[in-house]
Amino acid sequence: MADRDTSTDAHKHSVFEELLSPSELFEARSRSHKIPVRGQKDFLPNGSEQQRARLQQSLDEHWTLLAEERVERLGNLVKAVWIPDERLVELQSPAGKFWQTMGFSERGKQYLRPEEALYLMECGNVQVFYRDLPLSIQEGYERFLSHETVTLHQYQVFGHLKRLGYVVNRFDPSSVPSTYERQLNLPASSWDKQRKQLKRKRSQSPVSSDKQNPSPVEKTTTEDQSEELVNASESPAGQTAPDPSLEESMQSADASDRTWWMEEDVQPPSAQSQSAAPRWDFSSISFPDLGSRRSRSVSLESPDPSLLPGALEVGGCDLSPWLRRLNVKQEKLSQRDRERQRERDRYHRDINSDREVRHCRNWAEYLQLVEDRRRRSQKDKPVHLWENEVTPLTQPGQCNSHRELLDQISIIKSSSLPEGVSSLSASDQWTISFDVYQPDTVAEFKKSQPGKPYTHMCVCSFDGPVPDLHALKQLSYQSGDVPVTFAVVDHGDISFYCFKDFKLPTDSY
Amino acid sequence: MEVNEDMDTKSESEHQPSKDALIDISFCGSTPLLWKVSDMKRCRSAGVIGALVGSLARQPRQNVRLGRPLELLQEEALLLEETSTAAASLQTQDCGDEEVHLEAVRQYEAGLESSYKEQCALALEDKKTVLRRIMDEKENGTDDSGNAIRDRLNALDQAFRFPLPAMAVQLHTARAGFSHCPEERSFHSTDWPVPRDERLNTRFCVYRDLRHKGFYLTSAGKFGGDFLVYPGDPLRFHAHFIALCISMDEELPLSDILAIARLGSNVKKTVLLCSPRSRSETEKDESVEGDVVYSSLQWSSMV
């Protein structure tokens, strides 16, 4: 190893020879900013002088471009400091134009995430200091990129997208609203801000998703309907199994509501009305049909006081305000629509016009009727087909359309991507790294309200495994209704892939 | 197959590891990177190309041409280390000695100060030159404006202001060495941050063999293979082959062979299946150079 005497400037010049002298720095103001265009390539080397000369010229151009160091006016540089404990870069002079899409404020100070700071260092906008000495880009790569912050591959994807103009943020799983929440389209409430706060402090760990709240069920018959809706929206819609405490409160609340729905001729079995019973007998409860044109009831009677808990006084319910909210107008169809409907209904048999079906008072009776009919019709079926263990999937005349037929004979049910996701375990290998927003939205981009991202980026490499169905399901679930793009890094080259859900057509129209 | 002239220079540099300082490979995670242009030049003369992955200093906001650092393939880094041309530099620790660090800060600030003074002087000279040139041009015309400019020129020494924010500073790409802590280097292959599994060994054998035959190689992930093989420098020539490295006893399904043959014919490159043939007895030294067997795929028409 060469003897390292680091005390003289001259030696520094030879060892770290990329130091520019002040005159060089001064001359750098008038540098060209154009990149030379590369010419056509040749097919075979033939040892000719012309080829050698061209190669040398290309190489010289190449080295000139690479050797050029970044020289900036001190006034244009934003000064910043690297804080290793927090793994953040704190700005010490006012931020420039980049503040519109990058960085965040906290406790009165402005911060940049390590990948953003490194990118800005490469662009020549920010000069980051550590212990009063400026960091070179090499030191930036070594210090800022790690498994806890952002890996080299992820940074390469980040840089690539930023150079194209996209706005790229780190992905935070808890900030993905579920489809239900998006449907409700709530304005940013204080709850949202609280979530963003958590997002800043621990940007990689998800917020705990089992937020308990008092009223889990939307009730349409109580006065404070709007309040209930807001409370219900706070609980993440992705919960599959309510825990016991929620279920109990649901039952006690519904015990009183149930009585609203009883029609006068059907008395509830007194056993179920006591709140101690954990299970209801749905077969004995009939729900009023307010929407169908056949129902004539305009009001519901007051329930039997013996069914109500405690000393509750409940009067009759007037249904007319509710009926008014329902649109029970006859649909007026155009001539073409009416024709189309006639075509569709040509072979349509209304199940309710069947007298026997009308006699059924609940589902159990109806299913019984269907079963009886089936057994009756079985008598004229060929024995050798239907009495063995293996029976045909469908009968002639049973189906009216291709789709029904295909449904009947499809033993392998087709599934869609979101199915069965809740039972999947989280995978460490496949995680979404970034939110990406489109470049043309930069003008109106607001860091506090970024809106729905254009896509979510998942970074992987050609050396690693191809994403399997488990990973795809889990990632698309985690991503909500935003598409997921895979950025595959191959030694500096980045390719983008995405998977699209596709439904095979099942019917012909 | 042609032998490049570069072979000669390479064998020369192989015999002088002690004269020149070794190339510095710094690892970011498990990826080897080169930062200094002199290192990159020496690498390229040894036939190692690498890929640029950083922003270009001249135009950072585009993806057409990238700049430093140069990312090396694992095989490239191994070859450089094997031929004693390079050594991995370990992560630098923070300078523990407070005195040394403060001295470094003092030196840095002194450097800035002197640079500022020099740039002031240069700017002043520059302005004077500009004014003199204007004056010369005006001499040919009317005299009045010439006088005004002469007055300005004479007053320049007092009136000239070069504010500190106007000073040009350099943002270093490679490590600038401000802090005086010596860099630690690792010279043992056992300290190599990447474990050598069988796949890496296979690829490395193929890489080394093709490199010795004078070809230039780069990564070929997008082409479904391991390496793209160029007859000359990739700056000037197109690749001829896509090399796929398979160990001798590995089984490859026919569908994979068909897929890569199709791909190769689409991009007009010949597909090479490469397998290192290890010498039978030696198993302890994995880097023993056996022969590498090459097979190329070609659609043959039977009409």
Side-chain angles (χ1 to χ4, degrees):
Chain A
M1 204 154 75
D3 187 19
R4 295 208 186 262
D5 176 23
T6 50
S7 53
T8 60
D9 214 31
H11 179 81
K12 229 194 245 182
H13 251 277
S14 64
V15 168
F16 302 98
E17 66 261 338
E18 295 169 354
L19 211 65
L20 292 178
S21 71
S23 53
E24 285 171 327
L25 288 173
F26 193 71
E27 291 312 308
R29 295 175 313 160
S30 48
R31 261 190 212 161
S32 153
H33 282 276
K34 281 212 286 234
I35 301 181
V37 171
R38 279 200 267 233
Q40 284 263 356
K41 288 199 199 179
D42 295 321
F43 183 66
L44 256 186
N46 50 24
S48 71
E49 184 55 44
Q50 187 194 39
Q51 270 191 358
R52 203 198 319 268
R54 264 202 252 135
L55 173 62
Q56 196 54 46
Q57 188 196 16
S58 295
L59 277 177
D60 289 337
E61 219 173 68
H62 186 75
W63 298 129
T64 315
L65 270 182
L66 286 187
E68 219 169 63
E69 287 281 315
R70 292 166 176 83
V71 176
E72 289 290 328
R73 214 173 145 271
L74 192 60
N76 291 349
L77 288 174
V78 176
K79 191 166 181 291
V81 168
W82 164 243
I83 307 173
D85 300 327
E86 296 176 34
R87 293 192 205 104
L88 290 173
V89 169
E90 182 189 326
L91 295 183
Q92 291 188 328
S93 63
K97 231 181 355 165
F98 60 80
W99 190 248
Q100 198 186 11
T101 54
M102 293 196 264
F104 60 93
S105 302
E106 196 177 315
R107 297 173 297 211
K109 297 193 237 181
Q110 293 181 317
Y111 290 97
L112 283 175
R113 295 186 193 92
E115 68 270 17
E116 296 170 336
L118 190 55
Y119 172 72
L120 288 171
M121 275 169 73
E122 287 200 284
C123 285
N125 292 358
V126 162
Q127 194 179 26
V128 182
F129 286 82
Y130 176 61
R131 296 174 86 203
D132 299 318
L133 288 174
L135 289 176
S136 61
I137 299 190
Q138 176 177 3
E139 284 161 338
Y141 267 72
E142 286 171 2
R143 288 176 196 272
F144 296 1
L145 302 181
S146 69
H147 272 286
E148 292 88 36
T149 55
V150 153
T151 63
L152 179 65
H153 282 177
Q154 288 173 333
Y155 176 68
Q156 283 176 357
V157 174
F158 177 85
H160 181 96
L161 290 171
K162 294 279 327 171
R163 285 191 283 265
L164 290 173
Y166 288 92
V167 177
V168 186
N169 281 338
R170 266 200 222 171
F171 176 68
D172 176 21
S174 64
S175 70
V176 177
S178 61
T179 36
Y180 180 61
E181 288 161 359
R182 227 189 269 281
Q183 267 182 327
L184 291 178
N185 201 17
L186 290 175
S189 53
S190 58
W191 164 69
D192 227 352
K193 284 202 198 107
Q194 183 208 7
R195 222 204 226 161
K196 290 269 191 275
Q197 209 127 41
L198 283 158
K199 174 185 176 177
R200 265 184 238 128
K201 289 221 178 81
R202 293 269 173 266
S203 57
Q204 291 292 11
S205 62
V207 175
S208 85
S209 59
D210 49 337
K211 288 198 185 122
Q212 294 295 328
N213 56 62
S215 48
V217 171
E218 263 180 64
K219 302 183 204 53
T220 53
T221 53
T222 54
E223 270 79 27
D224 39 347
Q225 179 193 6
S226 53
E227 191 200 320
E228 300 301 340
L229 267 179
V230 170
N231 283 340
S233 76
E234 284 194 26
S235 72
Q239 277 188 353
T240 45
D243 35 13
S245 62
L246 289 180
E247 196 173 333
E248 257 179 28
S249 55
M250 199 160 68
Q251 278 152 25
S252 56
D254 263 323
S256 54
D257 287 348
R258 244 189 315 132
T259 55
W260 285 114
W261 298 338
M262 304 294 180
E263 297 200 318
E264 25 191 343
D265 45 344
V266 180
Q267 284 303 318
S270 50
Q272 268 79 12
S273 63
Q274 305 317 312
S275 51
R279 294 272 170 268
W280 304 325
D281 183 13
F282 282 108
S283 57
S284 57
I285 305 171
S286 77
F287 291 83
D289 180 10
L290 295 179
S292 131
R293 265 172 267 136
R294 295 199 194 92
S295 88
R296 293 279 170 259
S297 54
V298 186
S299 73
L300 290 177
E301 263 227 346
S302 145
D304 191 342
S306 65
L307 305 171
L308 299 173
L312 203 60
E313 280 262 340
V314 178
C317 175
D318 178 22
L319 290 178
S320 38
W322 297 106
L323 286 177
R324 250 181 274 130
R325 293 187 201 194
L326 295 173
N327 180 5
V328 290
K329 284 195 291 214
Q330 278 269 16
E331 199 184 341
K332 247 186 159 177
L333 298 169
S334 71
Q335 173 72 8
R336 193 146 54 114
D337 284 334
R338 258 178 284 151
E339 268 180 26
R340 220 180 282 156
Q341 189 154 56
R342 235 178 296 140
E343 276 296 312
R344 252 187 305 200
D345 294 344
R346 189 182 295 228
Y347 299 109
H348 175 66
R349 302 276 170 266
D350 186 8
I351 201 125
N352 286 323
S353 54
D354 192 331
R355 197 164 27 98
E356 286 180 0
V357 171
R358 274 210 297 275
H359 275 307
C360 302
R361 291 173 303 160
N362 51 38
W363 271 108
E365 292 186 14
Y366 173 67
L367 289 174
Q368 187 64 42
L369 175 65
V370 167
E371 181 63 28
D372 289 341
R373 282 186 174 170
R374 193 190 68 82
R375 244 185 261 124
R376 256 179 274 145
S377 69
Q378 260 189 334
K379 289 197 203 130
D380 27 275
K381 281 194 262 188
V383 173
H384 64 278
L385 279 181
W386 291 95
E387 292 306 316
N388 298 329
E389 287 153 10
V390 181
T391 62
L393 289 168
T394 181
Q395 276 178 288
Q398 199 174 17
C399 304
N400 290 332
S401 70
H402 285 111
R403 171 149 14 115
E404 274 186 49
L405 187 58
L406 285 172
D407 271 344
Q408 294 237 333
I409 65 175
S410 67
I411 311 170
I412 304 172
K413 297 284 174 211
S414 62
S415 156
S416 72
L417 205 58
E419 264 180 54
V421 175
S422 40
S423 55
L424 290 177
S425 53
S427 136
D428 301 316
Q429 207 182 21
W430 297 98
T431 50
I432 298 180
S433 312
F434 299 115
D435 287 338
V436 179
Y437 301 86
Q438 280 199 299
D440 44 349
T441 59
V442 165
E444 319 109 21
F445 185 80
K446 279 200 275 226
K447 281 186 290 196
S448 49
Q449 278 270 55
K452 187 171 142 181
Y454 173 60
T455 181
H456 281 143
M457 202 60 66
C458 175
V459 178
C460 48
S461 87
F462 275 121
D463 299 326
V466 179
D468 53 1
L469 189 59
H470 180 133
L472 285 178
K473 277 191 190 255
Q474 189 230 328
L475 285 178
S476 62
Y477 175 66
Q478 209 184 16
S479 159
D481 57 350
V482 174
V484 177
T485 310
F486 290 87
V488 187
V489 183
D490 163 44
H491 195 61
D493 252 331
I494 304 180
S495 322
F496 296 95
Y497 298 97
C498 69
F499 292 88
K500 283 196 153 66
D501 211 0
F502 179 72
K503 274 197 170 44
L504 289 172
T506 52
D507 212 336
S508 53
Y509 291 103
Chain B
M1 286 182 268
E2 289 190 359
V3 174
N4 252 3
E5 285 186 344
D6 289 339
M7 281 286 290
D8 296 328
T9 51
K10 183 186 158 295
S11 54
E12 271 174 31
S13 59
E14 257 184 335
H15 296 307
Q16 44 176 347
S18 49
K19 288 193 196 164
D20 301 326
L22 293 172
I23 295 177
D24 247 324
I25 302 182
S26 81
F27 276 87
C28 190
S30 62
T31 316
L33 298 174
L34 289 186
W35 287 95
K36 290 198 266 202
V37 179
S38 55
D39 285 348
M40 293 180 206
K41 280 189 189 168
R42 286 175 58 197
C43 242
R44 204 171 186 110
S45 61
V48 169
I49 305 293
L52 294 166
V53 294
S55 307
L56 189 66
R58 190 181 278 198
Q59 263 197 35
R61 288 185 165 87
Q62 45 83 30
N63 276 321
V64 177
R65 267 184 110 138
L66 295 177
R68 287 184 274 166
L70 186 79
E71 186 177 317
L72 296 177
L73 289 170
Q74 296 297 337
E75 295 80 31
E76 291 172 327
L78 280 175
L79 184 71
L80 289 175
E81 189 255 341
E82 197 178 65
T83 56
S84 303
T85 337
S89 62
L90 302 174
Q91 289 280 19
T92 45
Q93 305 298 322
D94 285 346
C95 193
D97 193 342
E98 196 58 39
E99 261 307 311
V100 172
H101 178 76
L102 285 177
E103 176 59 33
V105 176
R106 266 193 293 267
Q107 280 209 355
Y108 164 70
E109 283 169 3
L112 269 187
E113 189 62 41
S114 73
S115 173
Y116 174 59
K117 289 204 181 77
E118 266 197 60
Q119 286 188 38
C120 252
L122 286 169
L124 181 59
E125 266 315 305
D126 190 60
K127 184 102 183 170
K128 281 186 187 168
T129 324
V130 167
L131 283 180
R132 277 194 207 109
R133 194 180 54 230
I134 297 178
M135 224 168 60
D136 288 337
E137 284 168 17
K138 293 269 198 256
E139 294 283 271
N140 305 334
T142 58
D143 240 17
D144 296 356
S145 45
N147 280 335
I149 293 185
R150 208 176 293 124
D151 292 337
R152 265 175 74 190
L153 195 61
N154 296 334
L156 205 53
D157 285 311
Q158 282 80 37
F160 183 68
R161 291 278 171 267
F162 187 66
L164 190 61
M167 176 174 93
V169 289
Q170 176 187 5
L171 300 169
H172 290 88
T173 314
R175 207 193 310 278
F178 289 130
S179 61
H180 288 202
C181 296
E183 269 179 49
E184 271 184 53
R185 296 280 209 68
S186 103
F187 291 98
H188 309 288
S189 58
T190 47
D191 289 344
W192 205 252
V194 182
R196 287 181 74 155
D197 56 356
E198 199 194 309
R199 173 125 188 86
L200 183 58
N201 279 333
T202 314
R203 284 175 58 128
F204 181 53
C205 283
V206 175
Y207 179 84
R208 186 174 43 191
D209 194 63
L210 283 172
R211 185 72 283 284
H212 280 169
K213 291 183 158 72
F215 291 99
Y216 289 76
L217 297 117
T218 58
S219 166
K222 285 202 299 192
F223 289 89
D226 286 310
F227 301 114
L228 276 182
V229 185
Y230 296 81
D233 195 303
L235 269 183
R236 288 249 38 102
F237 300 102
H238 289 295
H240 284 182
F241 306 105
I242 303 174
L244 191 63
C245 305
I246 327 170
S247 66
M248 261 311 192
D249 42 10
E250 190 180 325
E251 282 183 2
L252 205 63
L254 189 62
S255 50
D256 281 6
I257 295 185
L258 282 175
I260 196 161
R262 260 295 174 204
L263 216 159
S265 68
N266 266 356
V267 296
K268 296 194 188 58
K269 298 191 202 305
T270 310
V271 176
L272 281 182
L273 303 176
C274 321
S275 306
R277 189 165 43 199
S278 55
R279 297 204 194 277
S280 38
E281 314 82 47
T282 52
E283 267 160 16
K284 36 184 164 64
D285 194 353
E286 290 158 342
S287 56
V288 154
E289 228 175 285
D291 279 330
V292 182
V293 178
Y294 299 98
S295 320
S296 68
L297 297 181
Q298 188 188 21
W299 292 109
S300 57
S301 56
M302 313 284 281
V303 182

